């Protein structure tokens, strides 16, 4: 984390901007259905050798910690748009709107400690939705499953 804070931000911004542009290009090729779930990584590896090298290095590191590594655009919404097209992106937005409406309804239909818990869970949903602008975890197991569980609890 310290390396990212004190490092060269321009390189990071250029790297992420290139991924964002590629996500839009992939979306333009198949707007309705997208390129398919989990296909962004394969497309990027074939697109540029530097991406393939970076992916190989990180896959090896991820195996040591037993973590699944993907090479992805750092924006959940662009990732959903490129991999799922308009249909997949619409499904994500539907889930988010449904979750927020469920949270608001839960806040106003409860009292006491339960209301406080519902306020907290709704605020948490807003937080993870916002995080989706700079990270793709919302569409990975560690982000999607807790989000769905919070919505189900409310």
């Amino acid at each position: 984390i310290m390396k990212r804070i004190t490092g060269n931000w321009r390189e990071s911004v250029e790297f992420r901007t290139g991924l964002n542009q590629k996500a839009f290009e992939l979306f333009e090729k198949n707007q309705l259905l997208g390129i398919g779930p989990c296909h962004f990584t394969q497309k990027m590896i074939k697109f540029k050798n530097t991406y393939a090298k970076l992916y190989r290095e990180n896959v090896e590191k991820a195996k040591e910690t037993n973590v699944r590594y993907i090479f992805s655009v750092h924006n959940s919404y662009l990732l959903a748009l490129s991999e799922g097209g308009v249909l997949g992106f619409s499904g994500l937005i539907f889930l988010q709107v449904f979750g927020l409406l469920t949270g608001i309804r839960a806040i106003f239909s409860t009292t006491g400690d339960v209301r406080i818990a519902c306020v907290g869970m709704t605020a948490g949903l807003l937080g993870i939705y916002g995080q989706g602008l700079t990270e793709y975890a919302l569409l990975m197991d560690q982000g999607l499953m807790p989000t769905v569980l919070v919505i189900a609890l409310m």
Side-chain angles (χ1 to χ4, degrees):
I1 294 174
M2 195 61 180
K3 183 179 176 184
R4 283 191 178 185
I5 292 171
T6 60
N8 185 348
W9 283 35
R10 190 169 140 241
E11 269 182 27
S12 178
V13 169
E14 288 173 358
F15 179 76
R16 290 173 186 239
T17 301
L19 291 174
N20 291 347
Q21 289 171 343
K22 190 63 180 170
F24 279 118
E25 289 173 19
L26 292 171
F27 166 68
E28 288 175 357
K29 290 181 181 178
N30 193 349
Q31 294 180 0
L32 184 62
L33 298 175
I35 60 174
C38 303
H39 282 77
F40 190 84
T41 299
Q42 283 74 31
K43 295 285 185 182
M44 295 312 293
I45 290 170
K46 291 176 184 174
F47 173 66
K48 209 175 203 181
N49 282 339
T50 53
Y51 292 154
K53 182 180 181 234
L54 183 63
Y55 176 76
R56 282 191 305 272
E57 291 170 0
N58 285 299
V59 163
E60 292 305 316
K61 290 177 188 175
K63 285 180 184 176
E64 294 172 11
T65 57
N66 203 21
V67 174
R68 180 173 60 144
Y69 177 78
I70 68 166
F71 190 78
S72 180
V73 60
H74 284 69
N75 182 315
S76 295
Y77 306 103
L78 286 179
L79 184 60
L81 195 61
S82 66
E83 288 189 346
V86 171
L87 290 177
F89 182 74
S90 298
L92 176 63
I93 298 303
F94 174 80
L95 175 68
Q96 290 180 324
V97 170
F98 176 78
L100 286 178
L101 292 177
T102 300
I104 291 168
R105 188 181 71 206
I107 291 168
F108 288 108
S109 65
T110 57
T111 59
D113 292 343
V114 175
R115 176 178 276 178
I116 293 169
C118 291
V119 168
M121 287 188 282
T122 304
L125 285 178
L126 288 171
I128 197 163
Y129 296 166
Q131 180 198 18
L133 295 170
T134 60
E135 182 57 48
Y136 57 85
L138 176 61
L139 299 179
M140 301 299 293
D141 302 342
Q142 69 268 24
L144 188 60
M145 294 304 156
T147 301
V148 173
L149 288 173
V150 165
I151 293 169
L153 283 171
M154 289 191 294

